[in-house]
Amino acid sequence: MTISEQLFEQAKTVIPGGVNSPVRAFRAVGGHPLFIKSAKGPYIYDEDDRQYIELINSWGPMVLGHAFEPVEKAVRDAIGHSFSFGAPTRKEVEMAELIVSMVPSVEKVRMVNSGTEATMAAIRVARGFTGRDKIIKFEGCYHGHGDSFLIAAGSGAMTMGTPDSPGVTKATALDTLTAPYNDLAAVEALIENNTNQIAALILEPVVGNMGCVLPEPGFLEGLRELCTKHEIVLIFDEVMTGFRLAPGGAQQRFGITPDLTTMGKIIGGGMPVGAYGGRADIMNMVSPAGPVYQAGTLSGNPIAMSAGLAMLHYLNDHPEVYTRLDEIGNKLATGFQASLTKLGLPYTINQIGSMFTQFMTDKTVTDFETAKTCDVPRFGRYFHAMLKRGVYLAPSQFESLFVSVALTDELIEQVIQANEESLIEAAEM
Ligand SMILES: *Cc1c(COP(=O)(O)O)cnc(C)c1O
């Protein structure tokens, strides 16, 4: 038994499923999770002292590699001044100014402690602003674990959603409408059938959470037009894409201006941070400027702000990071595609910048329906074959890769080689 296996057995007796977030349990790929001891640059080390090339990077935040010195130093410097005050600080002002300067649509911003908090607050504010109750989301997009988002699609675009988790009430489900991603006509139909009832439309402008799925040309533009026309608050959930696809996120990369934006992951530099922001007239609804209540004892925590500020300053001052992230993404996609062609495998690669998924299906993946056509058991075999070769991937087919700039060309070649061997191993069983 490895130390990770022992720890997992121990964990299961005192933590539900042995983990503090479900996907970590490796259920989607089989086997047991690795318990991680440390990480540095492009590598992560488990309790059994094995080294892996990191392609998860804490699901995004470690975009500059693990234990990046400027971030580490900022945290060390902050620690000597106590860990929390529950009172305003200079750093929060700097953080807000920096976000406003980087993210095109954001005029005012509120800090919270996770992406989940950010999305929950954003829809509450949108509801307060419009005086309407319903929201539209897309099948396969993930917005954290708030009740309103844990809603499965109904049997057709016209029907109401149903709770996707026990504990979410039917009443909540009635207020969440779902459409297939990239389907403007379905959104139009929902709006027509719910005249003047829709407060917000929320989406991942590039999806990472069903694997990487890109918006088709005209999709984001079409949503922007529909939302403007029907006075619906357009929310870009940039918890994953923010500060990754460009310094100003997907909205900058695609040139589309949402009304509200939710942020997380990279914004905390690895600390628990989220944020939501946008148009000043909408954000002025937030308490105490306005009547919509939202609060947090640890919101704007000084240690977290120090890490986040160091991260965002670095990204803002080093645009070459984005050139390199794109280059890494392109190299991986090109290398993987070459292997697929060589092996005669018909799989689909979706990639934009450093977001990337190799879908084990011959279908073009544009939404949740097509993503679901993947050979999941085969992905499980592939995942473990990669692990054996020292490459640490997200333990699910339905995730995007999260590369960091710490990945050197030599390591990229190693990953491409490991991928080719693992594809063969997964096909053989
Ligand atoms: C990760 C993620 C969230 C949830 O953020 P947490 O910090 O895990 O609560 C929300 N939206 C998107 C798009 C995400 O990728």
Side-chain angles (χ1 to χ4, degrees):
M1 228 197 214
T2 63
I3 299 174
S4 282
E5 282 172 288
Q6 283 170 34
L7 284 170
F8 192 44
E9 290 311 311
Q10 242 177 295
K12 280 189 283 191
T13 67
V14 282
I15 304 173
V19 291
N20 280 316
S21 196
V23 71
R24 295 179 197 171
F26 276 32
R27 295 253 172 120
V29 290
H32 64 87
L34 302 182
F35 279 64
I36 303 304
K37 194 151 71 177
S38 71
K40 180 69 189 167
Y43 296 112
I44 198 163
Y45 301 89
D46 69 7
E47 286 282 349
D48 295 283
D49 292 322
R50 281 190 295 226
Q51 172 184 287
Y52 300 89
I53 301 172
E54 249 290 49
L55 295 182
I56 304 184
N57 287 293
S58 189
W59 304 87
M62 316 318 282
V63 69
L64 298 172
H66 280 282
F68 186 67
E69 276 88 7
V71 178
E72 196 180 305
K73 182 175 182 307
V75 171
R76 280 187 200 284
D77 290 349
I79 278 174
H81 303 278
S82 188
F83 309 157
S84 181
F85 314 117
T89 62
R90 179 188 296 271
K91 283 191 182 129
E92 292 169 290
V93 187
E94 283 174 29
M95 185 70 158
E97 284 175 347
L98 189 56
I99 294 168
V100 168
S101 76
M102 289 175 80
V103 187
S105 70
V106 174
E107 295 172 347
K108 283 196 173 182
V109 59
R110 172 63 66 82
M111 303 308 300
V112 292
N113 304 295
S114 67
T116 293
E117 271 187 62
T119 56
M120 292 196 307
I123 58 166
R124 182 181 303 148
V125 174
R127 284 170 166 154
F129 182 74
T130 56
R132 303 170 179 172
D133 289 345
K134 292 181 183 172
I135 62 164
I136 296 177
K137 74 176 282 282
F138 293 93
E139 268 178 276
C141 281
Y142 179 69
H143 305 294
H145 64 87
D147 283 5
S148 301
F149 304 115
L150 297 182
I151 306 298
S155 49
M158 305 299 166
T159 59
M160 298 295 168
T162 53
D164 203 16
S165 163
V168 175
T169 66
K170 291 191 199 77
T172 301
L174 289 179
D175 285 333
T176 302
L177 310 172
T178 61
Y181 200 76
N182 276 322
D183 190 342
L184 268 182
V187 175
E188 270 189 275
L190 286 174
I191 296 173
E192 264 168 40
N193 285 290
N194 296 274
T195 324
N196 292 331
Q197 294 177 64
I198 297 165
L201 183 147
I202 184 167
L203 81 159
E204 295 179 72
V206 171
V207 192
N209 286 294
M210 51 176 138
C212 178
V213 174
L214 277 66
E216 286 173 350
F219 181 58
L220 298 177
E221 290 82 353
L223 293 177
R224 178 63 278 180
E225 266 172 42
L226 281 171
C227 286
T228 304
K229 182 168 163 210
H230 297 279
E231 297 181 330
I232 294 167
V233 176
L234 176 62
I235 307 173
F236 274 11
D237 180 354
E238 298 230 37
V239 171
M240 189 182 287
T241 54
F243 314 101
R244 171 170 291 280
L245 290 183
Q251 57 194 269
Q252 188 171 49
R253 193 151 178 149
F254 289 93
I256 308 286
T257 310
D259 301 306
L260 291 180
T261 301
T262 54
M263 293 159 269
K265 300 198 167 107
I266 290 176
I267 206 175
M271 303 293 268
V273 179
Y276 65 102
R279 270 166 51 187
D281 59 337
I282 302 179
M283 288 306 290
N284 283 336
M285 293 296 290
V286 179
S287 182
V292 176
Y293 194 71
Q294 187 271 310
T297 302
L298 297 176
S299 295
N301 171 272
I303 312 293
M305 290 303 98
S306 300
L309 264 175
M311 184 74 149
L312 296 195
H313 269 305
Y314 189 90
L315 293 175
N316 200 32
D317 296 344
H318 295 84
E320 70 273 16
V321 165
Y322 294 93
T323 316
R324 179 61 186 159
L325 282 173
D326 282 10
E327 197 175 84
I328 294 172
N330 291 338
K331 279 187 187 213
L332 284 170
T334 308
F336 278 36
Q337 188 56 61
S339 298
L340 291 178
T341 307
K342 181 171 149 195
L343 300 173
L345 290 167
Y347 301 160
T348 296
I349 291 176
N350 283 359
Q351 181 242 340
I352 175 171
S354 64
M355 289 176 68
F356 171 94
T357 301
Q358 175 173 258
F359 289 100
M360 294 188 156
T361 175
D362 58 3
K363 300 269 184 303
T364 306
V365 179
T366 56
D367 59 11
F368 194 45
E369 274 310 301
T370 44
K372 278 193 301 193
T373 62
C374 287
D375 187 337
V376 172
R378 186 179 283 212
F379 180 85
R381 298 195 296 275
Y382 163 80
F383 171 85
H384 285 287
M386 288 292 269
L387 213 51
K388 203 166 71 186
R389 290 169 177 80
V391 182
Y392 189 57
L393 298 173
S396 162
Q397 166 76 84
F398 305 106
E399 299 289 352
S400 169
L401 287 187
F402 301 88
V403 298
S404 83
V405 289
L407 214 54
T408 60
D409 283 347
E410 200 188 326
L411 291 178
I412 293 170
E413 283 311 314
Q414 278 185 39
V415 171
I416 291 170
Q417 183 62 32
N419 176 63
E420 188 166 315
E421 291 171 17
S422 300
L423 284 171
I424 296 170
E425 196 175 314
E428 284 166 352
M429 314 235 356

